[in-house]
């Protein structure tokens, strides 16, 4: 789950904070997906050639933490191109982290394969559920507080803000002045920053919990996967 929130919130950041269309917002995230694909292919080549599985798995986590960390610096004044670069860094880590799981599947067979695949899918969906709850709770709590401050600062436009189906619609109401729109954009930017911080914590915990298990499964009694 640690892989997905930056993609989700990045699209929302472009759409709400930068006020671009949903289609354009998705296009800004495309470079990270392309980089992740190239990274995954390059990682498989490196593993097959130099057997640096352990090193690459650790480096992938560093890239993911770095990319998610850079996303924290974004605000409503950040250029549209810079977050795409941050997401490309994050994409490198995502691509590199996929290959150890592929090798894990290839190593086991029979009943063991069923157990490994079932356990991995169960823990992945469980982690995704917990992650969604954590990120959305952090995001909504901060956003609600910030929007309340905006309402109190612009009492003349309270009705428009409260009657809007969601905060995104406030950004597009002609009756609301630009100052209010800027404040709502800032509110969303600050709330998404909290979600990115939560994601870094989640990635770090996931790395600590998963690394021993993955390394044990990949390297125990397997000369093919020795880490030179």
């Amino acid at each position: 789950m640690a892989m997905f929130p930056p993609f989700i919130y990045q699209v929302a950041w472009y759409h709400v904070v930068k006020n671009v269309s949903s289609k354009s917002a998705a296009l800004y995230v495309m470079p990270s997906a392309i980089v992740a694909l190239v990274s995954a292919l390059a990682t498989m080549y490196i593993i097959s050639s130099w057997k640096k599985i352990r090193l690459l798995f650790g480096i992938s986590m560093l890239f993911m933490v770095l990319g998610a960390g850079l996303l924290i610096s974004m605000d409503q004044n950040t250029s549209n191109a810079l977050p795409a670069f941050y997401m490309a860094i994050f994409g490198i880590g995502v691509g590199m982290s996929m290959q150890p799981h592929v090798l894990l599947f290839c190593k086991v067979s029979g009943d063991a394969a069923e157990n490994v695949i079932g356990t991995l899918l169960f823990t992945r969906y469980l982690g995704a559920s917990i992650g969604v709850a954590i990120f959305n709770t952090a995001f909504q709590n901060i956003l609600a507080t910030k929007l309340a401050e905006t309402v109190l600062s612009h009492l003349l436009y309270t009705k428009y803000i409260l009657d809007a189906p969601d905060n995104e619609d406030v950004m597009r109401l002609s009756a609301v002045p630009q100052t209010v729109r800027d404040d709502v954009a800032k509110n969303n930017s600050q709330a998404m920053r909290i979600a990115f911080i939560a994601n870094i914590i989640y990635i770090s915990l996931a790395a600590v919990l998963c690394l021993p298990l993955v390394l044990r499964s990949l390297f125990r009694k397997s000369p093919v996967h020795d880490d030179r």
Side-chain angles (χ1 to χ4, degrees), residues 63 133 183 188 221:
F63 271 108
D183 285 346
N188 280 269
K221 298 179 182 180

Side-chain angles (χ1 to χ4, degrees), residues 50-186:
W50 297 307
K51 314 299 187 295
K52 299 295 184 179
I53 303 175
R54 192 175 306 188
L55 176 63
L56 290 175
F57 188 81
I59 293 176
S60 71
M61 291 295 177
L62 293 178
F63 271 108
M64 291 175 66
V65 171
L66 176 60
L70 290 172
L71 293 174
I72 297 174
S73 65
M74 298 188 311
D75 56 31
Q76 64 273 25
N77 297 318
T78 303
S79 67
N80 288 354
L82 198 56
F85 173 72
Y86 296 159
M87 285 298 295
I89 296 176
F90 186 82
I92 294 175
V94 171
M96 294 177 65
S97 66
M98 298 302 293
Q99 300 307 336
H101 298 91
V102 174
L103 292 176
L104 179 60
F105 287 140
C106 294
K107 182 180 177 181
V108 296
S109 59
D111 294 337
E114 296 176 359
N115 294 333
V116 169
I117 295 173
T119 301
L120 181 59
L121 290 177
F122 171 77
T123 54
R124 176 174 293 177
Y125 287 123
L126 177 63
S129 300
I130 297 174
V132 168
I134 293 174
F135 302 136
N136 195 55
T137 298
F139 174 75
Q140 294 297 338
N141 286 343
I142 296 300
L143 182 59
T145 302
K146 295 299 181 180
L147 286 176
E149 295 174 356
T150 298
V151 170
L152 293 175
S153 301
H154 304 279
L155 293 177
L156 291 176
Y157 304 97
T158 300
K159 183 179 184 302
Y160 295 102
I161 297 175
L162 296 180
D163 288 347
D166 54 53
N167 62 89
E168 296 181 24
D169 290 334
V170 177
M171 304 286 295
R172 296 165 179 82
L173 291 177
S174 58
V176 175
Q178 188 61 43
T179 54
V180 177
R181 298 178 191 177
D182 291 341
D183 285 346
V184 173
K186 184 178 180 180

Side-chain angles (χ1 to χ4, degrees), residues 22-64:
S22 299
K23 181 179 180 179
S24 298
L27 290 176
Y28 278 112
V29 184
M30 282 298 295
S32 60
I34 296 174
V35 170
L37 176 61
V38 174
S39 174
L41 295 174
T43 300
M44 182 58 77
Y45 173 77
I46 294 173
I47 290 175
S48 61
S49 300
W50 297 307
K51 314 299 187 295
K52 299 295 184 179
I53 303 175
R54 192 175 306 188
L55 176 63
L56 290 175
F57 188 81
I59 293 176
S60 71
M61 291 295 177
L62 293 178
F63 271 108
M64 291 175 66

